[in-house]
Amino acid sequence: MSTIRKIGIVTCSTRATRINPYITQYICGLLSSSIQSVSSLKDATLSVIDLEAQGLPLFDEPGIPGHLPKEDPTPHYKHQHTRGWSAVVRDHDAFVFVTPQYNWSVPASLKNALDYLYHEWTGKPAVVVTYGGHGGGKAAAHLQQILAGLKMRVAGTAVPLTIKVEEGNECLAAGALTEAVMERWTSAGVSETLSTAVSEMGRQQVS
């Protein structure tokens, strides 16, 4: 068992037109504050991991990730993009996944990125943050199930962010989240919900 030293905040959408990076930065700002109240996390560093920047094609490894050596799977992958992705994930002790909901589930880009690896995820704590017209609850439930299948230590509390298409378009035009959206999320208790999820993460240790 080991402590959480580095938390990756994952931007899960790879669409050319997306608000995911704005929401990731918003969550990152809240996390910077909330981890200070959790003794086991207050010394942890935060880093943003954008799936769009990882250059992952549709899963193309010939082997099954879970069948590779547990202690050091990275050099056993065939492709450089997989070895690079493996190194990124191994460098983090815990993750906060920030994802939109697509048709009651998560984006293919996220599922694909998760499926590329296995041992690199296993035993690490995770928090799920979703957004959509109704908060992305279906995606949250599905992602929590997927992460549990990878034997991650998933916080039971998910963080839903409600944002309508029109609001998303306004954010795209502004190049940032609008004050109206952030004020509504504040009123909805997003910060408090995230703090609860982070506290759950803090009670976990990396196995």
Side-chain angles (χ1 to χ4, degrees):
M1 306 289 283
S2 60
T3 58
I4 298 172
R5 300 180 183 277
K6 191 172 184 181
I7 302 171
I9 302 98
V10 186
T11 298
C12 298
S13 169
T14 60
R15 292 179 62 200
T17 303
R18 56 184 182 153
I19 59 172
N20 205 159
Y22 309 151
I23 298 176
T24 297
Q25 288 300 327
Y26 170 80
I27 292 297
C28 192
L30 294 181
L31 279 171
S32 296
S33 175
S34 62
I35 63 174
Q36 295 306 309
S37 62
V38 181
S39 59
S40 60
L41 298 178
K42 64 181 181 180
D43 294 326
T45 59
L46 304 176
S47 67
V48 172
I49 303 170
D50 191 341
L51 292 186
E52 194 278 331
Q54 305 308 313
L56 296 173
L58 194 62
F59 182 71
D60 60 354
E61 283 291 325
I64 298 173
H67 291 178
L68 299 180
K70 179 179 180 180
E71 294 74 18
D72 187 15
T74 306
H76 297 276
Y77 293 109
K78 178 180 179 180
H79 301 295
Q80 179 57 43
H81 55 256
T82 314
R83 294 193 293 272
W85 177 228
S86 173
V88 168
V89 174
R90 291 183 70 188
D91 190 45
H92 293 78
D93 304 306
F95 298 88
V96 176
F97 295 93
V98 183
T99 182
Q101 176 169 295
Y102 289 176
N103 300 314
W104 284 23
S105 188
V106 297
S109 52
L110 173 55
K111 185 62 166 67
N112 187 55
L114 291 168
D115 287 345
Y116 257 97
L117 312 174
Y118 182 76
H119 298 302
E120 296 89 336
W121 301 117
T122 298
K124 295 181 178 180
V127 166
V128 171
V129 178
T130 57
Y131 64 92
H134 299 283
K138 299 290 187 181
H142 193 191
L143 181 53
Q144 287 177 322
Q145 184 179 36
I146 293 167
L147 300 179
L150 290 168
K151 294 183 171 58
M152 298 189 78
R153 299 171 178 270
V154 188
T157 300
V159 183
L161 304 173
T162 301
I163 185 166
K164 303 300 183 182
V165 172
E166 296 78 9
E167 293 173 320
N169 289 336
E170 291 171 358
C171 294
L172 286 171
L177 291 178
T178 63
E179 289 297 326
V181 166
M182 291 188 288
E183 288 173 3
R184 182 162 49 75
W185 288 347
T186 297
S187 298
V190 167
S191 179
E192 292 79 4
T193 304
L194 181 62
S195 292
T196 298
V198 168
S199 295
E200 293 172 14
M201 172 185 279
R203 290 194 289 270
Q204 303 284 356
Q205 286 187 311
V206 185
S207 63

